[in-house]
Amino acid sequence: MDPPDKIPQPLLGSAESYTSRPSDSDVSLEEDREALRKEAERQALAQLEKAKTKPVAFAVRTNVGYNPSLNDEVPVQGMSISFEPKDFLHIKEKYNNEWWIGRLVKEGCEVGFIPSPVKLENMRMLQEQKMRQNRLSSSKSGGNSSSSLGDLVTGTRKPAPPLSGPLDVSHLAYDPDALELEEELDGQAADHHSPRSSVNSVTTPPSNVKRIPFFKKMEHVPPYDVVPSMRPIILVGPSLKGYEVTDMMQKALFDFLKHRFDGRISITRVTADISLAKRSVLNNPSKHTIIERSNTRSSLAEVQSEIERIFELARTLQLVALDADTINHPAQLSKTSLAPILVYIKITSPKVLHRLVKSRGKSQAKHLNVQMVAADKLAQCPPEMFDIILDENQLEDACEHLAEYLEAYWKATHPPSSNPPNPLLNRTMATAALASSPAPISNLQVQVLTSLKRNLSFWGNRSTQEPGQGPNPVVAEHTV
């Protein structure tokens, strides 16, 4: 008897294999999406290339850090810019609501995509949501409810483990008003950058300088502060402005800058008290009357006008040096939007400054104490509050030190790709800058400076000379 024919059985999984194949419509739809993505990327690259030669629209100082990740949906992958808190950015134009086109103010950095405040806020909210979910899941899986409650009551509960995703949920927010508690905190915050961990998105600097009060209202600081396109140069020290020793030293440096950076710098005098231009005051009309009633030498309208003039000067992308009558300490400008380059003319030895002031005659010597106290307050400031400290013993060395710093800043703000000159230069330089520039250093000032240097050299050699020895060749005239 012949064996019965085997009936073919259907292959297992054949139906699944058939249904898992993409249909022609799905393939075409995917191809259309890819074509649209490539076209959008091509247009973004073209807009990025055109922006290289466009003028700077405005500048910002960052209050948060940003490190790109693959989930940020950058218009062109790999073309976004990372930055740290307290960095400076030149913004060229707006690409869309979530991205700007600009560059980090640093030598060698080209234009790229910068997240807008809207984008950063959305990322921050997403981070907070992930953090809450992580805390909730860790509390549910952390044992029985009584132990978790005990940890909460006693305050010994361990922090939740970090997420394994691309978001860094550490340092999510801090209270900006905490920075208002002490004047010195603004200057010191530049060195407290948040550490980057894994593939980051947004970080804010930790507020570990001072504990935030328990009932302090928690707010989120804006990610960017608008600042002048070129940071204005402001000189402070060796003592108070308005006295001969300080004025002569600063005017000598202004004269050097005028000749060294001829055609690239605008030196203007500022008589209004620009220390009143705090962001919290200018942005809050309710505080205007308080300022107006106080015994200040400048009205708020004058201060606002001066700030606008400084911003206008900086739009030319020329160096801007301010001969500010009222600024004698870096803390005066820490809460303003000027973000200046603070240059500290430092006389290391109080004895040298003491003899310099007395050498200027009785009219200056009678104000000796107030000048010595001001110099001591400057000397007590941490070095981080200044951008550059001139403590050289020779005028030429101090000038070259300052020139090297400003040349490096010039290269950082003028990349080779932005060759066309700024069209605002001729109009602004002819009006605001030249109208307020101080007069060149006079022959009388040269004579006074020469006298200062001779007196300083005499007193320095005399104070260090031991009995029976010749003059010490190391001790020479001090700064400027």
Side-chain angles (χ1 to χ4, degrees), residues 145-160:
S145 59
S146 60
S147 62
S148 299
L149 182 60
D151 290 340
L152 282 174
V153 172
T154 58
T156 59
R157 181 174 179 178
K158 296 181 180 179

Side-chain angles (χ1 to χ4, degrees), residues 210-222:
K210 195 177 183 74
R211 182 179 295 275
I212 300 175
F214 182 78
F215 293 104
K216 194 75 174 179
K217 181 181 179 182
M218 296 299 293
E219 297 177 359
H220 294 293
V221 70

Side-chain angles (χ1 to χ4, degrees), residues 135-148 151 157:
R135 287 178 175 175
L136 183 62
S137 61
S138 62
S139 64
K140 290 181 179 179
S141 61
N144 54 41
S145 59
S146 60
S147 62
S148 299
D151 290 340
R157 181 174 179 178

Side-chain angles (χ1 to χ4, degrees), residues 290-309:
I290 301 177
I291 297 297
E292 295 294 346
R293 292 175 182 175
S294 60
N295 295 326
T296 57
R297 56 178 294 177
S298 306
S299 67
L300 203 57
E302 293 174 343
V303 173
Q304 182 70 31
S305 176
E306 283 295 298
I307 297 298
E308 292 175 357
R309 186 171 70 91

Side-chain angles (χ1 to χ4, degrees), residues 60-290:
V60 296
R61 178 176 54 189
T62 63
N63 293 321
V64 298
Y66 171 71
N67 193 22
S69 70
L70 296 177
N71 297 332
D72 291 346
E73 299 179 354
V74 184
V76 181
Q77 288 295 334
M79 298 299 292
S80 57
I81 294 177
S82 61
F83 49 83
E84 295 279 1
K86 303 300 178 184
D87 279 343
F88 292 88
L89 305 175
H90 276 176
I91 309 302
K92 297 296 190 81
E93 63 182 8
K94 174 183 175 182
Y95 179 75
N96 56 29
N97 287 334
E98 293 191 337
W99 296 97
W100 292 342
I101 294 180
R103 61 179 294 270
L104 178 67
V105 179
K106 186 177 181 181
E107 189 174 359
C109 295
E110 291 295 336
V111 296
F113 291 98
I114 297 172
S116 70
V118 175
K119 177 70 173 179
L120 290 177
E121 179 65 15
N122 292 337
M123 295 170 66
R124 183 192 63 80
M125 294 176 64
L126 181 61
Q127 286 182 0
E128 289 188 344
Q129 182 180 2
K130 291 289 185 181
M131 185 182 68
R132 286 194 296 266
Q133 292 176 355
N134 183 69
R135 287 178 175 175
L136 183 62
S137 61
S138 62
S139 64
K140 290 181 179 179
S141 61
N144 54 41
S145 59
S146 60
S147 62
S148 299
L149 182 60
D151 290 340
L152 282 174
V153 172
T154 58
T156 59
R157 181 174 179 178
K158 296 181 180 179
L163 292 176
S164 59
L167 290 174
D168 178 15
V169 297
S170 61
H171 311 311
L172 286 175
Y174 71 100
D175 184 9
D177 292 334
L179 300 180
E180 303 281 338
L181 298 177
E182 292 183 2
E183 290 284 350
E184 292 80 11
L185 296 188
D186 288 319
Q188 296 173 354
D191 284 349
H192 292 82
H193 290 177
S194 351
R196 293 180 178 178
S197 58
S198 68
V199 184
N200 188 19
S201 281
V202 183
T203 58
T204 58
S207 56
N208 56 357
V209 182
K210 195 177 183 74
R211 182 179 295 275
I212 300 175
F214 182 78
F215 293 104
K216 194 75 174 179
K217 181 181 179 182
M218 296 299 293
E219 297 177 359
H220 294 293
V221 70
Y224 303 126
D225 287 329
V226 178
V227 297
S229 300
M230 294 289 286
R231 299 173 61 192
I233 306 161
I234 295 182
L235 308 181
V236 294
S239 183
L240 287 176
K241 294 180 181 178
Y243 297 98
E244 287 188 12
V245 173
T246 298
D247 288 350
M248 290 295 100
M249 288 184 175
Q250 293 194 7
K251 289 188 181 300
L253 282 179
F254 281 131
D255 186 59
F256 166 77
L257 293 176
K258 180 180 179 181
H259 291 88
R260 177 64 176 266
F261 296 93
D262 187 25
R264 293 188 290 165
I265 192 170
S266 166
I267 302 176
T268 181
R269 186 176 181 184
V270 179
T271 57
D273 189 0
I274 55 178
S275 65
L276 299 176
K278 298 179 180 179
R279 293 184 295 270
S280 59
V281 174
L282 296 181
N283 297 331
N284 190 352
S286 62
K287 296 184 179 181
H288 290 188
T289 54
I290 301 177

